[in-house]
Amino acid sequence: MATPVEPPNGLMRAKGKHLYTMWHTLFEIDTKYIPIKPIGRGAYGVVCSSINRETNERVAIKKINNVFGNRIDALRTLRELMLLRCIKHENVICLKDVMIPTNLYGFKDVYLVYELMDTDLHQIIKSSQPLSNDHCKYFIFQLLRGLQYLHSANILHRDLKPGNLLVNANCELKICDFGLARTNKNNGQFMTEYVVTRWYRAPELLLSCDNYGTSIDIWSVGCILAEILGRKPIFPGTDSLTQLKLIISVLGSQSEADLDFIDNAKAKKFVRSLHFSKGTCFSSLYPYADPLAVDLLEKMLVFDPRKRIAVSEALCHPYISSLYDPSLNPPCQYRINVDIDENIGESVIREMMLREILLYHPEAAVIY
């Protein structure tokens, strides 16, 4: 539980802030937020549920510890701030507030305030809770709906997985964690650093292709659909090579034409060297699944990204088309740019982050 504490060493409490400890982590947060309990922990820090006593609304507060201790983490946090300020959609998590730090020019920790969700899809899949075909259909529909909006805003998520899909008791689903998101250039200028948790990583990323687009997210959706149907990951590779072998064992060996997209000669040679596989029918892997779900899965988990179903086509697929009304799902009206020069220094990242934070507090912007 959350435990209120006094400032250490007789220091004065910062104006408008109070201190709590949760899971041995100190939270210095705005007095309008009353912490309830810790609900999650990761490399970034701790998340707690809280009540905004001004609105009586329950929220989730994520404390990112020592955000500038790792420049990758700092860039991820800045990217998430930039993107979630612009994206407003029912199936994307809402960032409601970012607390103004006590020390504007030397802050180390960042406190992000999100809408509170009950759990995530990873927890649901690994639980013993039965999942009906309607559950599966509704989860995939909402995921595709949120993804369609992101893609229309020119954004690739790049790290879709069950743990990044938050779910409420009424089965509402929201996409979260945009630290790896990028603007979709689709012109070969993408960096090739680690993207997407390996089990959900598209073949073109495993093969180090420089040019990739929205189809990488569709592959991840296919892996998630398979995981809901089977209650376990479909491609649980221990490394990139094993991952590719698992994919080929299920999809079957690929024709030369379907390897044309591979722009890395060594990678193409490796795929050609793999033992021949006839592949496995998805209907035999998931014998109790709705045949329409299996058909959609077959169109998502296609090795050649050029032949993979697009998000707009997937929403019109017979499996979920009854839930989809294009008139209720307009695209984003503008394109969002979250590209940041990866070589900028800490002082510039700090300044950009502070500008983002102050956009949530226009009344305080005059102090900057």
Side-chain angles (χ1 to χ4, degrees):
M1 297 297 289
T3 307
V5 295
E6 289 301 314
N9 304 325
L11 295 174
M12 294 288 289
R13 180 181 283 111
K15 186 178 179 182
K17 304 280 186 182
H18 56 180
L19 300 175
Y20 284 81
T21 58
M22 277 163 289
W23 281 344
H24 307 293
T25 300
L26 185 68
F27 274 64
E28 183 182 23
I29 57 176
D30 297 351
T31 52
K32 71 178 181 180
Y33 296 111
I34 306 298
I36 302 170
K37 62 181 180 181
I39 56 175
R41 190 204 308 262
Y44 51 81
V46 171
V47 181
C48 72
S49 59
S50 304
I51 290 180
N52 179 342
R53 57 182 171 186
E54 292 180 0
T55 63
N56 212 30
E57 180 183 30
R58 293 192 169 217
V59 296
I61 299 176
K62 180 199 280 189
K63 178 184 181 181
I64 301 177
N65 287 312
N66 192 20
V67 69
F68 300 106
N70 181 311
R71 67 178 287 104
I72 301 293
D73 290 344
L75 287 167
R76 285 186 67 152
T77 302
L78 175 57
R79 204 170 273 117
E80 174 132 339
L81 287 172
M82 292 169 65
L83 192 140
L84 289 182
R85 174 171 52 82
C86 301
I87 290 284
K88 304 298 175 193
H89 190 271
E90 290 173 8
N91 300 119
V92 175
I93 196 69
C94 177
L95 180 60
K96 292 181 165 293
D97 187 15
V98 190
M99 296 184 210
I100 299 178
T102 304
N103 181 350
L104 289 181
Y105 305 103
F107 67 92
K108 292 182 178 179
D109 306 324
V110 175
Y111 294 89
L112 308 176
V113 183
Y114 299 91
E115 58 185 318
L116 182 64
M117 302 292 282
D118 292 315
T119 186
D120 62 55
L121 195 56
H122 172 70
Q123 297 299 325
I124 291 172
I125 290 171
K126 77 174 190 177
S127 76
S128 57
Q129 175 187 342
L131 287 176
S132 69
N133 186 44
D134 283 342
H135 280 118
C136 179
K137 189 181 297 189
Y138 192 44
F139 287 146
I140 293 301
F141 164 67
Q142 292 180 89
L143 172 52
L144 287 168
R145 188 170 175 260
L147 194 56
Q148 181 187 45
Y149 192 83
L150 291 170
H151 287 178
S152 74
N154 212 33
I155 295 295
L156 305 182
H157 186 282
R158 304 202 316 165
D159 197 21
L160 292 173
K161 57 186 177 182
N164 284 344
L165 303 175
L166 303 181
V167 180
N168 261 343
N170 60 2
C171 292
E172 288 180 352
L173 178 147
K174 295 175 190 279
I175 302 168
C176 72
D177 196 344
F178 289 87
L180 287 179
R182 292 291 188 280
T183 305
N184 181 22
K185 293 190 178 117
N186 208 15
N187 60 2
Q189 293 182 8
F190 271 124
M191 61 298 294
T192 54
E193 90 286 13
Y194 177 88
V195 291
V196 187
T197 306
R198 186 185 303 110
W199 295 352
Y200 309 91
R201 204 183 302 185
E204 57 268 34
L205 296 177
L206 292 165
L207 293 162
S208 302
C209 295
D210 288 331
N211 193 14
Y212 56 85
T214 53
S215 56
I216 64 165
D217 286 337
I218 286 292
W219 177 273
S220 301
V221 177
C223 294
I224 293 164
L225 172 54
E227 194 162 335
I228 297 172
L229 295 176
R231 304 301 284 256
K232 64 180 183 180
I234 183 172
F235 304 124
T238 52
D239 56 56
S240 293
L241 299 186
T242 311
Q243 189 72 24
L244 277 166
K245 289 175 182 176
L246 281 173
I247 290 169
I248 293 294
S249 71
V250 173
L251 300 191
S253 297
Q254 302 295 301
S255 69
E256 277 299 313
D258 287 337
L259 300 180
D260 279 350
F261 73 90
I262 304 173
D263 49 25
N264 180 312
K266 286 176 73 175
K268 187 180 286 190
K269 184 178 179 182
F270 170 77
V271 176
R272 287 188 184 127
S273 72
L274 294 174
H275 290 300
F276 177 79
S277 168
K278 289 196 298 185
T280 307
C281 291
F282 286 114
S283 55
S284 64
L285 286 176
Y286 308 107
Y288 303 108
D290 183 332
L292 288 174
V294 173
D295 185 75
L296 179 57
L297 185 61
E298 288 171 346
K299 291 176 167 59
M300 289 178 167
L301 294 182
V302 176
F303 195 86
D304 185 343
R306 300 166 299 182
K307 296 182 178 180
R308 220 169 282 153
I309 194 171
V311 66
S312 56
E313 296 168 332
L315 282 163
C316 295
H317 186 276
Y319 182 56
I320 53 175
S321 58
S322 62
L323 299 173
Y324 179 58
D325 182 344
S327 67
L328 299 178
N329 295 273
C332 186
Q333 295 303 304
Y334 50 90
R335 295 193 155 200
I336 297 168
N337 187 347
V338 291
D339 291 337
I340 304 167
D341 181 353
E342 305 279 322
N343 298 312
I344 57 176
E346 178 185 319
S347 61
V348 178
I349 299 173
R350 182 186 297 274
E351 184 176 345
M352 291 175 72
M353 205 176 287
L354 188 56
R355 284 181 191 160
E356 289 292 328
I357 293 170
L358 291 175
L359 287 170
Y360 288 84
H361 303 273
E363 77 288 347
V366 292
I367 65 178
Y368 176 61

